[in-house]
Amino acid sequence: MATARHSDDCHAICSGRAQADSDTLSRLLDLLEYQGKQLFARHGVPVPDGKPADNVDDAVAAAEEIGYPCVIKAQVLIGGRGKAGGIKVAESEPEARGAAEAILGMDITGPHGEGPFKVRQVWIEGASQIAAEYYASIILDRSAKKSLAMLSTMGGMNVEEIADKDPEALVRQYIEPGEGSFGTKEAGRLASDAGVDEDVREKVAELLVKLHGAFDASDATLIEVNPLVVTKDRDVVALDAKVTIDDSALFRQEEVAEAGEGEAEDPQEQMAKEKGLTYVKLDGDVGILGNGAGLCMSTLDVVAQAGGSPANFLDAGGGSKAEAIIDALEVISSDDKVNAILFNIFGGITRCDEVARGIIEAYGRVDLDLPLVVRLDGTNSAEGLRLLTDADIPDLHVEKTMLGAAAKVVELAKAKAGG
Ligand code: ADP
Ligand code: MG
């Protein structure tokens, strides 16, 4: 799974709420540059032609096809690749080979110390003759419940640097929700406010409108183009692409979701995705299964309070059926780090007795050799508790309160780790 960045520089600066995203459950999926560019291309945003490659020979073949000069670009989920040596221009086949050899396999550390990330893929694209580098972005400002477009002629620098150096140079414009709210007129105003060269204002405006189209259609929370370049021929092209998609919208973003699948992925995350479950990997040893995202989040807190450390959490949604529970238990128990599992259910529409039946059936069908603590509360919880108690499953512990369940699961995890 792509890394989830819970607070983004860009969000921080625009909304003044750096933590906006960590307060909500939505996970953010970052696209690699080339996946972002493919998204752009589908929405008519001009990008250089290019090809991805994961080995030197394919990279050289791609360079030969694209022609020289071309640029070989490390595909990792951080910026600052240029400065880190992850972007090289090649004028010939031997240069392309040398560049691909140097970049593939290299470790890149981000400008804020992120990573290091090993380069497993490169993107080869035609080199642009750059006359000017601009900065453009569109972000979802959760506090304003609107998106915000930003533009500056000081491209190449990151957004904080621009805002620091010359706040006036970063022009911002809110976009009202709804169709047609950001047309060439609005985008053109942004371009002229930012001081974009007059002869390319229209092209910049058109690009921004299409970028907004891509933003909307992909449920993005952030699109950043840095640099957005004006070429010597006075064309306007997106040379870099940073795209963050709201993961909770991926069910309606199949194309994007598939793009994300090429990533080196955690095996549990891969498994969860295949089974259509929401899974978040953490560092500890207590597996958490809950019905509903909010409940999962508070379960994490309670487990931490009880002195435990969550290994992951999996939102089983409203799933009370044995099938869903089996899937969830399989994903969680396949993680070697997990020493005990807490299944926290608050019955609303999902009835606790149904969940209990699901668990009992699941036990008949999966081989679970980990202690499981079940907390059942809400609709039909008495019946659910009775069913589970009667089933008398070894190493299944039923608790009535969340705190009690957390304390129990932490105790069991510690015992398992110690033994
Ligand atoms: P990063 O932001 O990770 O450093 P970029 O894609 O922004 O990566 O590239 C860094 C710099 O490399 C750009 O600002 C630009 O000057 C140059 N560059 C990137 N792609 C091309 C290209 N296709 N043609 C010419 N120069 C490029
Ligand atoms: Mg860049």
Side-chain angles (χ1 to χ4, degrees):
M1 169 92 238
T3 40
R5 274 193 306 243
H6 288 288
S7 71
D8 206 279
D9 305 343
C10 201
H11 284 96
I13 195 147
C14 308
S15 60
R17 289 189 55 197
Q19 298 307 316
D21 288 317
S22 60
D23 295 337
T24 66
L25 187 68
S26 64
R27 294 198 73 205
L28 304 176
L29 169 75
D30 292 338
L31 301 188
L32 290 167
E33 174 201 2
Y34 86 88
Q35 295 164 338
K37 281 180 169 164
Q38 289 172 338
L39 169 74
F40 289 1
R42 290 198 294 275
H43 290 274
V45 176
V47 290
D49 279 337
K51 275 184 166 255
D54 60 9
N55 63 73
V56 173
D57 286 340
D58 286 356
V60 174
E64 288 283 293
E65 195 182 321
I66 287 154
Y68 302 100
C70 65
V71 184
I72 292 148
K73 307 182 77 173
Q75 296 300 293
V76 283
L77 294 167
I78 37 169
R81 295 165 299 160
K83 282 188 191 129
I87 294 178
K88 293 188 193 303
V89 178
E91 302 277 358
S92 63
E93 181 179 339
E95 280 186 25
R97 184 170 295 280
E101 277 169 355
I103 296 172
L104 278 164
M106 82 185 285
D107 286 318
I108 296 187
T109 305
H112 306 293
E114 310 96 315
F117 292 89
K118 187 160 292 297
V119 181
R120 297 180 198 284
Q121 246 181 331
V122 288
W123 169 249
I124 300 96
E125 68 183 14
S128 294
Q129 300 269 331
I130 302 173
E133 296 198 337
Y134 298 157
Y135 169 96
S137 63
I138 302 174
I139 66 152
L140 178 66
D141 185 337
R142 288 185 200 276
S143 50
K145 297 197 168 59
K146 286 176 193 170
S147 43
L148 177 65
M150 286 181 283
L151 184 65
S152 172
T153 53
M154 294 168 74
M157 281 190 262
N158 66 41
V159 66
E160 309 121 304
E161 275 179 275
I162 301 170
D164 259 8
K165 261 207 177 104
D166 184 2
E168 302 272 284
L170 186 67
V171 176
R172 304 157 201 224
Q173 190 174 303
Y174 276 107
I175 301 173
E176 296 301 323
E179 204 133 316
S181 56
F182 191 68
T184 42
K185 198 174 112 230
E186 291 79 9
R189 192 171 348 114
L190 192 64
S192 69
D193 288 352
V196 164
D197 291 347
E198 214 170 331
D199 67 314
V200 288
R201 258 179 219 171
E202 212 176 291
K203 282 182 177 166
V204 169
E206 277 167 16
L207 185 145
L208 290 174
V209 170
K210 287 176 177 152
L211 205 60
H212 180 247
F215 180 88
D216 250 5
S218 62
D219 292 303
T221 56
L222 166 84
I223 283 187
E224 188 178 66
V225 180
N226 191 20
L228 172 67
V229 305
V230 181
T231 66
K232 297 239 158 79
D233 300 334
R234 311 306 286 171
D235 278 325
V236 177
V237 186
L239 268 209
D240 193 4
K242 177 170 161 186
V243 177
T244 304
I245 305 281
D246 187 341
D247 211 353
S248 57
L250 283 187
F251 69 93
R252 49 185 162 123
Q253 296 298 342
E254 275 176 33
E255 232 171 330
V256 176
E258 277 162 23
E261 270 162 21
E263 284 312 280
E265 197 154 8
D266 176 87
Q268 279 75 43
E269 292 190 333
Q270 179 76 47
M271 218 170 138
K273 199 186 276 178
E274 279 162 11
K275 294 176 189 288
L277 300 166
T278 305
Y279 174 90
V280 177
K281 176 135 190 141
L282 301 161
D283 291 325
D285 69 344
V286 176
I288 291 172
L289 184 56
N291 64 329
L295 187 63
C296 280
M297 290 304 271
S298 35
T299 310
L300 294 180
D301 291 342
V302 179
V303 167
Q305 247 179 54
S309 172
N312 52 45
F313 75 79
L314 201 147
D315 176 8
S320 59
K321 297 270 173 338
E323 253 14 280
I325 294 170
I326 290 170
D327 281 350
L329 289 176
E330 273 177 355
V331 172
I332 289 195
S333 62
S334 71
D335 182 347
D336 290 340
K337 287 194 319 192
V338 174
N339 285 325
I341 301 172
L342 171 55
F343 194 173
N344 193 7
I345 297 136
F346 189 84
I349 297 170
T350 309
R351 288 162 36 200
C352 290
D353 58 321
E354 278 177 5
V355 178
R357 282 192 196 90
I359 293 172
I360 294 163
E361 197 185 330
Y363 260 92
R365 287 160 53 187
V366 284
D367 221 5
L368 192 72
D369 62 351
L370 288 169
L372 177 70
V373 177
V374 182
R375 175 257 186 170
L376 283 178
D377 199 2
T379 315
N380 291 5
S381 62
E383 173 70 359
L385 287 167
R386 192 189 58 75
L387 286 169
L388 283 177
T389 313
D390 288 355
D392 198 22
I393 298 166
D395 233 356
L396 183 136
H397 311 262
V398 184
E399 293 283 338
K400 175 84 181 142
T401 69
M402 217 151 120
L403 218 56
K408 185 77 192 168
V409 79
V410 170
E411 174 198 320
L412 291 165
K414 284 191 176 144
K416 179 107 183 161

